Amino acid sequence: MTTLIDAPPPTVAAPKSKSAGGGLGKYILVRFLLIFPTIFILVTLVFFLMRITGDPITAAQGGRLPQEQIDILVHQAGYDRNLFIQYIEYLGNIATGNFGRTISDGRPVIEMLTKFGAATLELAINSLIVALLVGIPLGMFAAHKRDKVSDALLRFFAILCYATPVFFAGLLLKLTFSVGLGWFPVAGRASTTTELAMSRLSAPTGIYWLDALRSNDLAAFGDIIHHAVLPAIALGLLTAGVFLRLVRTNVIGTLGKDYVEAGRSRGVSEYRLVTKHAYKPALIPIITVMGLQIALLLGGAVLTETTFEWKGLGYQLAQYLTARDFVAVQGIVMLLAVIVAVTNFVVDILAALIDPRVRY
């Protein structure tokens, strides 16, 4: 009788899985490469949309100068050439960092962007700090008090925040706390004394509160923060409402997970479950949408800076649009596009580092 001996099953090579580093590296590379077509498309759209009404010089100076003089200026600037040739030259100038000169005041565009871009960045940072300080704690509290009166009031507050126009919120804040109560300045980034002190600094960043800290000028720092409170609140509440709803929804979802239920069954308090276990997963959507919120903040900065005479890119954009200075407008819009694209890239990387599922 033949004895059958069970042979060991043939070894099957396990499928090679993606390494975390490889997946993350590919994800970062793809996201980085997407920056360039995004900027290219926006720059192209802005260029041709600006040309719908004609050349920039005629648009800016039409009716102010004799037609003969305008024709000479148009010819000298090359705006009477073929539009496609102008477009190719424009792209070439951008690639070499030459953004031209503004038509209304003859200032180099790159100099204007450097000076006023820092002011807009400062306002965006201040507003984002307000949004995070208001939106995340209130969202956690609303989730903790789910379906109670306080939760309903906070949800109404969130809707009010992102439904109220920024300029209207800014005007209300000015009328109440500046004109009525006199607690805060009506307009500006700082007092005249502080502005002069900031202009005398060597190698300034352009972000006033950072420059004041670097120079150990606490008086100037206090003055700058005093001026920054109302603009930051007006613009920050717009995003705080979005953060509040996101955190509330995601914390409530996390509170229904098995590990949270297990902690609840062991007698862990609801407050501890919210603050120690449920809030971290709820922050992932905040980071994911933060790139979109930066774009929203930059869009709102135009109205906020105009309302509070905060002389940044938004304020200058409104001035140049009024003057129909399309060269300056093109430069500002392109810089804003770069900021939004780079910010979204950074946010995508942070989201991939926090949640590995994003990178696959």
Side-chain angles (χ1 to χ4, degrees):
M1 186 175 68
T2 306
T3 305
L4 298 177
I5 300 175
D6 293 334
T11 57
V12 179
K16 293 182 179 179
S17 60
K18 293 181 181 179
S19 66
L24 180 60
K26 181 179 179 181
Y27 179 84
I28 292 175
L29 179 61
V30 171
R31 286 292 181 266
F32 177 74
L33 293 177
L34 284 175
I35 293 176
F36 300 100
T38 302
I39 296 173
F40 173 76
I41 292 172
L42 188 55
V43 166
T44 301
L45 286 174
V46 171
F47 177 85
F48 285 105
L49 288 175
M50 291 289 99
R51 295 301 193 277
I52 288 177
T53 56
D55 65 89
I57 292 178
T58 302
Q61 304 295 342
R64 302 178 184 178
L65 297 175
Q67 187 60 44
E68 295 80 9
Q69 189 172 350
I70 291 178
D71 292 339
I72 293 173
L73 293 174
V74 168
H75 180 71
Q76 289 175 345
Y79 291 128
D80 55 351
R81 294 176 298 166
N82 180 274
L83 188 60
F84 182 72
I85 295 176
Q86 293 183 48
Y87 171 66
I88 296 300
E89 183 178 342
Y90 176 66
L91 292 180
N93 289 335
I94 289 178
T96 59
N98 178 17
F99 298 95
R101 287 181 172 270
T102 60
I103 297 173
S104 54
D105 51 17
R107 174 186 299 177
V109 173
I110 191 67
E111 177 186 308
M112 180 267 295
L113 295 178
T114 304
K115 178 179 179 181
F116 297 105
T120 297
L121 178 61
E122 179 181 343
L123 178 60
I125 292 173
N126 296 343
S127 304
L128 190 58
I129 291 172
V130 170
L132 292 173
L133 290 178
V134 173
I136 292 178
L138 291 184
M140 292 171 59
F141 183 77
H144 179 55
K145 299 293 184 180
R146 180 182 180 182
D147 297 331
K148 295 183 180 179
V149 176
S150 54
D151 177 33
L153 291 175
L154 286 174
R155 279 185 286 167
F156 175 75
F157 171 73
I159 295 172
L160 197 64
C161 283
Y162 58 75
T164 303
V166 177
F167 70 89
F168 183 69
L171 287 174
L172 284 180
L173 290 172
K174 284 179 66 172
L175 289 173
T176 304
F177 297 102
S178 296
V179 178
L181 298 174
W183 291 354
F184 296 99
V186 175
R189 293 178 65 194
S191 63
T192 305
T193 304
T194 303
E195 291 269 7
L196 292 173
M198 293 298 102
S199 65
R200 289 194 292 265
L201 293 177
S202 59
T205 64
I207 300 176
Y208 277 1
W209 54 261
L210 181 59
D211 289 334
L213 289 176
R214 290 174 59 202
S215 59
N216 294 320
D217 192 341
L218 296 182
F221 178 78
D223 178 61
I224 292 163
I225 296 299
H226 194 214
H227 281 77
V229 169
L230 293 186
I233 291 176
L235 186 54
L237 288 180
L238 178 68
T239 306
V242 178
F243 287 174
L244 194 159
R245 294 297 295 265
L246 273 175
V247 171
R248 176 190 177 275
T249 301
N250 285 277
V251 167
I252 288 174
T254 307
L255 287 174
K257 299 293 184 181
D258 292 340
Y259 70 90
V260 176
E261 292 291 345
R264 190 179 285 119
S265 66
R266 290 197 297 268
V268 179
S269 67
E270 199 71 16
Y271 175 79
R272 184 174 177 82
L273 288 174
V274 171
T275 57
K276 298 295 182 182
H277 302 287
Y279 86 96
K280 288 184 179 179
L283 294 182
I284 294 175
I286 291 288
I287 295 174
T288 303
V289 303
M290 195 174 290
L292 298 176
Q293 297 308 311
I294 291 294
L296 185 65
L297 286 175
L298 292 175
V302 176
L303 297 174
T304 306
E305 290 179 4
T306 304
T307 302
F308 289 94
E309 296 181 31
W310 184 284
K311 295 184 178 180
L313 286 179
Y315 181 84
Q316 291 301 122
L317 181 61
Q319 302 299 314
Y320 286 127
L321 281 172
T322 302
R324 300 179 67 80
D325 191 334
F326 293 162
V327 175
V329 171
Q330 284 177 173
I332 292 174
V333 172
M334 197 200 69
L335 179 60
L336 294 179
V338 171
I339 293 173
V340 171
V342 172
T343 302
N344 276 280
F345 169 70
V346 173
V347 168
D348 286 341
I349 302 309
L350 291 176
L353 291 173
I354 294 173
D355 187 357
R357 295 171 298 176
V358 174
R359 67 185 76 155
Y360 295 108

